[in-house]
mmCIF file of all heavy atoms in Angstrom:
data_model
loop_
_atom_site.group_PDB
_atom_site.id
_atom_site.type_symbol
_atom_site.label_atom_id
_atom_site.label_comp_id
_atom_site.label_asym_id
_atom_site.label_seq_id
_atom_site.Cartn_x
_atom_site.Cartn_y
_atom_site.Cartn_z
ATOM 1 N N TYR A 158 91.531 159.405 139.544
ATOM 2 C CA TYR A 158 91.570 159.765 140.962
ATOM 3 C C TYR A 158 90.412 159.108 141.712
ATOM 4 O O TYR A 158 90.566 158.655 142.838
ATOM 5 C CB TYR A 158 91.487 161.292 141.100
ATOM 6 C CG TYR A 158 91.303 161.759 142.519
ATOM 7 C CD1 TYR A 158 92.371 161.771 143.404
ATOM 8 C CD2 TYR A 158 90.063 162.199 142.976
ATOM 9 C CE1 TYR A 158 92.202 162.203 144.713
ATOM 10 C CE2 TYR A 158 89.891 162.638 144.281
ATOM 11 C CZ TYR A 158 90.962 162.636 145.140
ATOM 12 O OH TYR A 158 90.792 163.052 146.433
ATOM 13 N N SER A 159 89.244 159.051 141.084
ATOM 14 C CA SER A 159 88.043 158.515 141.722
ATOM 15 C C SER A 159 88.066 157.002 141.862
ATOM 16 O O SER A 159 87.424 156.442 142.742
ATOM 17 C CB SER A 159 86.800 158.888 140.908
ATOM 18 O OG SER A 159 86.696 160.267 140.775
ATOM 19 N N SER A 160 88.781 156.359 140.979
ATOM 20 C CA SER A 160 88.823 154.900 140.991
ATOM 21 C C SER A 160 89.273 154.389 142.350
ATOM 22 O O SER A 160 90.226 154.884 142.928
ATOM 23 C CB SER A 160 89.773 154.419 139.887
ATOM 24 O OG SER A 160 89.730 153.037 139.794
ATOM 25 N N LYS A 161 88.561 153.432 142.866
ATOM 26 C CA LYS A 161 88.851 152.808 144.160
ATOM 27 C C LYS A 161 88.595 153.742 145.345
ATOM 28 O O LYS A 161 88.986 153.460 146.456
ATOM 29 C CB LYS A 161 90.298 152.302 144.219
ATOM 30 C CG LYS A 161 90.712 151.409 143.068
ATOM 31 C CD LYS A 161 90.123 150.025 143.192
ATOM 32 C CE LYS A 161 90.708 149.072 142.214
ATOM 33 N NZ LYS A 161 90.162 149.087 140.875
ATOM 34 N N LYS A 162 87.939 154.882 145.097
ATOM 35 C CA LYS A 162 87.561 155.789 146.176
ATOM 36 C C LYS A 162 86.041 155.880 146.182
ATOM 37 O O LYS A 162 85.384 155.583 145.203
ATOM 38 C CB LYS A 162 88.186 157.159 145.952
ATOM 39 C CG LYS A 162 89.692 157.158 146.095
ATOM 40 C CD LYS A 162 90.232 158.557 146.023
ATOM 41 C CE LYS A 162 91.688 158.599 146.350
ATOM 42 N NZ LYS A 162 92.585 158.514 145.255
ATOM 43 N N ASN A 163 85.514 156.304 147.279
ATOM 44 C CA ASN A 163 84.074 156.419 147.430
ATOM 45 C C ASN A 163 83.691 157.906 147.367
ATOM 46 O O ASN A 163 83.554 158.556 148.395
ATOM 47 C CB ASN A 163 83.659 155.786 148.759
ATOM 48 C CG ASN A 163 82.162 155.697 148.898
ATOM 49 O OD1 ASN A 163 81.439 155.784 147.921
ATOM 50 N ND2 ASN A 163 81.701 155.542 150.119
ATOM 51 N N LEU A 164 83.571 158.440 146.135
ATOM 52 C CA LEU A 164 83.332 159.862 145.936
ATOM 53 C C LEU A 164 81.957 160.129 145.342
ATOM 54 O O LEU A 164 81.372 159.279 144.692
ATOM 55 C CB LEU A 164 84.391 160.437 144.995
ATOM 56 C CG LEU A 164 85.842 160.255 145.397
ATOM 57 C CD1 LEU A 164 86.755 160.846 144.338
ATOM 58 C CD2 LEU A 164 86.123 160.890 146.748
ATOM 59 N N CYS A 165 81.504 161.348 145.543
ATOM 60 C CA CYS A 165 80.268 161.844 144.934
ATOM 61 C C CYS A 165 80.650 163.038 144.073
ATOM 62 O O CYS A 165 81.257 163.990 144.568
ATOM 63 C CB CYS A 165 79.288 162.264 146.030
ATOM 64 S SG CYS A 165 77.822 163.104 145.413
ATOM 65 N N GLY A 166 80.327 162.996 142.784
ATOM 66 C CA GLY A 166 80.627 164.096 141.872
ATOM 67 C C GLY A 166 79.385 164.913 141.586
ATOM 68 O O GLY A 166 78.305 164.366 141.376
ATOM 69 N N ILE A 167 79.558 166.232 141.579
ATOM 70 C CA ILE A 167 78.449 167.134 141.275
ATOM 71 C C ILE A 167 78.904 168.091 140.182
ATOM 72 O O ILE A 167 79.854 168.848 140.362
ATOM 73 C CB ILE A 167 77.986 167.908 142.518
ATOM 74 C CG1 ILE A 167 77.522 166.915 143.588
ATOM 75 C CG2 ILE A 167 76.880 168.900 142.149
ATOM 76 C CD1 ILE A 167 77.154 167.515 144.905
ATOM 77 N N CYS A 168 78.229 168.016 139.038
ATOM 78 C CA CYS A 168 78.530 168.865 137.890
ATOM 79 C C CYS A 168 77.616 170.087 137.913
ATOM 80 O O CYS A 168 76.446 169.989 138.258
ATOM 81 C CB CYS A 168 78.278 168.117 136.586
ATOM 82 S SG CYS A 168 79.223 166.597 136.396
ATOM 83 N N TYR A 169 78.171 171.218 137.509
ATOM 84 C CA TYR A 169 77.333 172.402 137.374
ATOM 85 C C TYR A 169 77.947 173.383 136.379
ATOM 86 O O TYR A 169 79.123 173.309 136.043
ATOM 87 C CB TYR A 169 77.108 173.093 138.729
ATOM 88 C CG TYR A 169 78.313 173.803 139.315
ATOM 89 C CD1 TYR A 169 78.549 175.142 139.040
ATOM 90 C CD2 TYR A 169 79.198 173.154 140.154
ATOM 91 C CE1 TYR A 169 79.637 175.799 139.578
ATOM 92 C CE2 TYR A 169 80.284 173.804 140.704
ATOM 93 C CZ TYR A 169 80.499 175.140 140.405
ATOM 94 O OH TYR A 169 81.579 175.791 140.942
ATOM 95 N N CYS A 170 77.110 174.287 135.903
ATOM 96 C CA CYS A 170 77.536 175.420 135.092
ATOM 97 C C CYS A 170 76.745 176.621 135.623
ATOM 98 O O CYS A 170 76.299 176.602 136.767
ATOM 99 C CB CYS A 170 77.327 175.171 133.605
ATOM 100 S SG CYS A 170 75.621 174.872 133.103
ATOM 101 N N GLU A 171 76.561 177.648 134.829
ATOM 102 C CA GLU A 171 75.874 178.839 135.327
ATOM 103 C C GLU A 171 74.455 178.526 135.775
ATOM 104 O O GLU A 171 74.033 178.896 136.859
ATOM 105 C CB GLU A 171 75.870 179.939 134.264
ATOM 106 C CG GLU A 171 75.446 181.289 134.797
ATOM 107 C CD GLU A 171 76.394 181.883 135.829
ATOM 108 O OE1 GLU A 171 77.585 181.554 135.851
ATOM 109 O OE2 GLU A 171 75.910 182.705 136.633
ATOM 110 N N LEU A 172 73.679 177.838 134.935
ATOM 111 C CA LEU A 172 72.291 177.511 135.263
ATOM 112 C C LEU A 172 72.034 176.008 135.314
ATOM 113 O O LEU A 172 70.918 175.577 135.589
ATOM 114 C CB LEU A 172 71.345 178.138 134.229
ATOM 115 C CG LEU A 172 71.420 179.660 134.081
ATOM 116 C CD1 LEU A 172 70.593 180.122 132.890
ATOM 117 C CD2 LEU A 172 70.970 180.345 135.356
ATOM 118 N N SER A 173 73.049 175.213 135.006
ATOM 119 C CA SER A 173 72.948 173.748 134.910
ATOM 120 C C SER A 173 71.900 173.325 133.887
ATOM 121 O O SER A 173 71.158 172.383 134.099
ATOM 122 C CB SER A 173 72.687 173.114 136.277
ATOM 123 O OG SER A 173 73.846 173.172 137.067
ATOM 124 N N GLN A 174 71.892 174.035 132.766
ATOM 125 C CA GLN A 174 70.967 173.686 131.694
ATOM 126 C C GLN A 174 71.673 173.100 130.482
ATOM 127 O O GLN A 174 71.068 172.364 129.722
ATOM 128 C CB GLN A 174 70.154 174.908 131.273
ATOM 129 C CG GLN A 174 69.201 175.357 132.342
ATOM 130 C CD GLN A 174 68.374 176.549 131.899
ATOM 131 O OE1 GLN A 174 68.692 177.224 130.928
ATOM 132 N NE2 GLN A 174 67.316 176.811 132.629
ATOM 133 N N SER A 175 72.949 173.411 130.289
ATOM 134 C CA SER A 175 73.637 172.914 129.100
ATOM 135 C C SER A 175 75.019 172.349 129.422
ATOM 136 O O SER A 175 75.241 171.151 129.324
ATOM 137 C CB SER A 175 73.752 174.042 128.060
ATOM 138 O OG SER A 175 74.375 173.562 126.900
ATOM 139 N N ARG A 176 75.951 173.203 129.802
ATOM 140 C CA ARG A 176 77.327 172.740 130.000
ATOM 141 C C ARG A 176 77.457 171.757 131.153
ATOM 142 O O ARG A 176 78.184 170.768 131.049
ATOM 143 C CB ARG A 176 78.266 173.931 130.202
ATOM 144 C CG ARG A 176 78.369 174.803 128.956
ATOM 145 C CD ARG A 176 79.167 176.045 129.215
ATOM 146 N NE ARG A 176 78.400 176.959 130.064
ATOM 147 C CZ ARG A 176 78.868 178.105 130.536
ATOM 148 N NH1 ARG A 176 80.098 178.492 130.264
ATOM 149 N NH2 ARG A 176 78.107 178.893 131.286
ATOM 150 N N GLY A 177 76.770 171.983 132.256
ATOM 151 C CA GLY A 177 76.801 171.054 133.390
ATOM 152 C C GLY A 177 76.244 169.686 133.015
ATOM 153 O O GLY A 177 76.895 168.667 133.233
ATOM 154 N N PRO A 178 75.038 169.637 132.417
ATOM 155 C CA PRO A 178 74.509 168.350 131.968
ATOM 156 C C PRO A 178 75.382 167.684 130.900
ATOM 157 O O PRO A 178 75.527 166.458 130.895
ATOM 158 C CB PRO A 178 73.123 168.695 131.421
ATOM 159 C CG PRO A 178 72.714 169.898 132.200
ATOM 160 C CD PRO A 178 73.997 170.672 132.381
ATOM 161 N N ASN A 179 75.984 168.488 130.013
ATOM 162 C CA ASN A 179 76.877 167.912 129.000
ATOM 163 C C ASN A 179 78.116 167.301 129.659
ATOM 164 O O ASN A 179 78.565 166.231 129.251
ATOM 165 C CB ASN A 179 77.296 168.962 127.970
ATOM 166 C CG ASN A 179 76.192 169.296 127.006
ATOM 167 O OD1 ASN A 179 75.243 168.539 126.843
ATOM 168 N ND2 ASN A 179 76.299 170.447 126.365
ATOM 169 N N LEU A 180 78.651 167.980 130.660
ATOM 170 C CA LEU A 180 79.794 167.434 131.387
ATOM 171 C C LEU A 180 79.402 166.129 132.076
ATOM 172 O O LEU A 180 80.133 165.138 132.018
ATOM 173 C CB LEU A 180 80.312 168.443 132.417
ATOM 174 C CG LEU A 180 81.467 167.974 133.295
ATOM 175 C CD1 LEU A 180 82.693 167.616 132.463
ATOM 176 C CD2 LEU A 180 81.813 169.053 134.331
ATOM 177 N N TYR A 181 78.237 166.111 132.699
ATOM 178 C CA TYR A 181 77.725 164.898 133.334
ATOM 179 C C TYR A 181 77.671 163.751 132.328
ATOM 180 O O TYR A 181 78.164 162.655 132.597
ATOM 181 C CB TYR A 181 76.333 165.166 133.918
ATOM 182 C CG TYR A 181 75.626 163.922 134.385
ATOM 183 C CD1 TYR A 181 75.744 163.504 135.704
ATOM 184 C CD2 TYR A 181 74.863 163.156 133.509
ATOM 185 C CE1 TYR A 181 75.104 162.347 136.141
ATOM 186 C CE2 TYR A 181 74.230 162.002 133.937
ATOM 187 C CZ TYR A 181 74.350 161.606 135.246
ATOM 188 O OH TYR A 181 73.728 160.454 135.664
ATOM 189 N N ARG A 182 77.058 164.001 131.165
ATOM 190 C CA ARG A 182 76.930 162.952 130.147
ATOM 191 C C ARG A 182 78.288 162.487 129.640
ATOM 192 O O ARG A 182 78.503 161.292 129.433
ATOM 193 C CB ARG A 182 76.064 163.443 128.982
ATOM 194 C CG ARG A 182 74.573 163.474 129.311
ATOM 195 C CD ARG A 182 73.718 163.761 128.093
ATOM 196 N NE ARG A 182 73.829 165.136 127.621
ATOM 197 C CZ ARG A 182 73.121 166.151 128.112
ATOM 198 N NH1 ARG A 182 72.241 165.951 129.075
ATOM 199 N NH2 ARG A 182 73.268 167.360 127.628
ATOM 200 N N TYR A 183 79.203 163.410 129.460
ATOM 201 C CA TYR A 183 80.539 163.047 128.981
ATOM 202 C C TYR A 183 81.269 162.175 130.002
ATOM 203 O O TYR A 183 81.852 161.152 129.660
ATOM 204 C CB TYR A 183 81.350 164.304 128.660
ATOM 205 C CG TYR A 183 82.632 163.978 127.959
ATOM 206 C CD1 TYR A 183 82.674 163.836 126.574
ATOM 207 C CD2 TYR A 183 83.816 163.780 128.673
ATOM 208 C CE1 TYR A 183 83.842 163.518 125.923
ATOM 209 C CE2 TYR A 183 84.988 163.454 128.030
ATOM 210 C CZ TYR A 183 85.004 163.328 126.655
ATOM 211 O OH TYR A 183 86.162 162.998 126.015
ATOM 212 N N ILE A 184 81.214 162.587 131.270
ATOM 213 C CA ILE A 184 81.868 161.796 132.326
ATOM 214 C C ILE A 184 81.245 160.414 132.411
ATOM 215 O O ILE A 184 81.952 159.408 132.469
ATOM 216 C CB ILE A 184 81.777 162.508 133.694
ATOM 217 C CG1 ILE A 184 82.648 163.762 133.688
ATOM 218 C CG2 ILE A 184 82.196 161.573 134.831
ATOM 219 C CD1 ILE A 184 82.458 164.639 134.904
ATOM 220 N N ARG A 185 79.924 160.355 132.415
ATOM 221 C CA ARG A 185 79.243 159.071 132.543
ATOM 222 C C ARG A 185 79.588 158.165 131.358
ATOM 223 O O ARG A 185 79.902 156.990 131.533
ATOM 224 C CB ARG A 185 77.728 159.284 132.645
ATOM 225 C CG ARG A 185 76.927 158.027 132.833
ATOM 226 C CD ARG A 185 77.335 157.204 134.050
ATOM 227 N NE ARG A 185 76.876 157.793 135.279
ATOM 228 C CZ ARG A 185 77.646 157.913 136.359
ATOM 229 N NH1 ARG A 185 78.892 157.478 136.375
ATOM 230 N NH2 ARG A 185 77.181 158.438 137.458
ATOM 231 N N SER A 186 79.559 158.715 130.159
ATOM 232 C CA SER A 186 79.883 157.938 128.964
ATOM 233 C C SER A 186 81.326 157.435 129.007
ATOM 234 O O SER A 186 81.595 156.259 128.725
ATOM 235 C CB SER A 186 79.656 158.801 127.723
ATOM 236 O OG SER A 186 80.077 158.135 126.570
ATOM 237 N N TYR A 187 82.241 158.306 129.359
ATOM 238 C CA TYR A 187 83.659 157.947 129.444
ATOM 239 C C TYR A 187 83.868 156.873 130.509
ATOM 240 O O TYR A 187 84.610 155.916 130.315
ATOM 241 C CB TYR A 187 84.482 159.195 129.763
ATOM 242 C CG TYR A 187 85.968 158.967 129.739
ATOM 243 C CD1 TYR A 187 86.689 159.150 128.566
ATOM 244 C CD2 TYR A 187 86.652 158.578 130.884
ATOM 245 C CE1 TYR A 187 88.062 158.951 128.537
ATOM 246 C CE2 TYR A 187 88.018 158.372 130.866
ATOM 247 C CZ TYR A 187 88.721 158.565 129.683
ATOM 248 O OH TYR A 187 90.076 158.359 129.670
ATOM 249 N N ASP A 188 83.192 157.031 131.643
ATOM 250 C CA ASP A 188 83.312 156.075 132.749
ATOM 251 C C ASP A 188 82.796 154.694 132.338
ATOM 252 O O ASP A 188 83.418 153.674 132.618
ATOM 253 C CB ASP A 188 82.556 156.597 133.961
ATOM 254 C CG ASP A 188 83.005 155.990 135.282
ATOM 255 O OD1 ASP A 188 83.991 155.217 135.300
ATOM 256 O OD2 ASP A 188 82.385 156.311 136.308
ATOM 257 N N TYR A 189 81.649 154.665 131.656
ATOM 258 C CA TYR A 189 81.116 153.386 131.176
ATOM 259 C C TYR A 189 82.087 152.729 130.196
ATOM 260 O O TYR A 189 82.373 151.539 130.288
ATOM 261 C CB TYR A 189 79.757 153.569 130.496
ATOM 262 C CG TYR A 189 78.586 153.408 131.436
ATOM 263 C CD1 TYR A 189 77.914 154.518 131.929
ATOM 264 C CD2 TYR A 189 78.159 152.150 131.828
ATOM 265 C CE1 TYR A 189 76.845 154.375 132.783
ATOM 266 C CE2 TYR A 189 77.086 151.997 132.686
ATOM 267 C CZ TYR A 189 76.436 153.117 133.162
ATOM 268 O OH TYR A 189 75.374 152.970 134.018
ATOM 269 N N GLU A 190 82.583 153.519 129.251
ATOM 270 C CA GLU A 190 83.510 152.976 128.252
ATOM 271 C C GLU A 190 84.779 152.444 128.916
ATOM 272 O O GLU A 190 85.254 151.362 128.586
ATOM 273 C CB GLU A 190 83.864 154.072 127.246
ATOM 274 C CG GLU A 190 84.732 153.597 126.106
ATOM 275 C CD GLU A 190 85.014 154.724 125.126
ATOM 276 O OE1 GLU A 190 84.063 155.420 124.722
ATOM 277 O OE2 GLU A 190 86.191 154.907 124.787
#
């Protein structure tokens, strides 16, 4: 959906200490690949 669009993504979880940062890393890694 984001491809060819100019979007800003913001990841979060309850405290943004584990699941939010993990989601960020997963998205970034997948996007690079």
Side-chain angles (χ1 to χ4, degrees):
Y158 171 77
S159 302
S160 186
K161 308 285 190 278
K162 292 187 172 93
N163 188 18
L164 304 178
C165 172
I167 300 175
C168 302
Y169 71 91
C170 61
E171 192 65 25
L172 302 171
S173 287
Q174 292 181 344
S175 182
R176 295 174 288 176
N179 286 340
L180 177 60
Y181 170 92
R182 284 189 289 276
Y183 189 86
I184 291 171
R185 182 57 75 225
S186 174
Y187 186 90
D188 201 5
Y189 268 102
E190 184 178 312

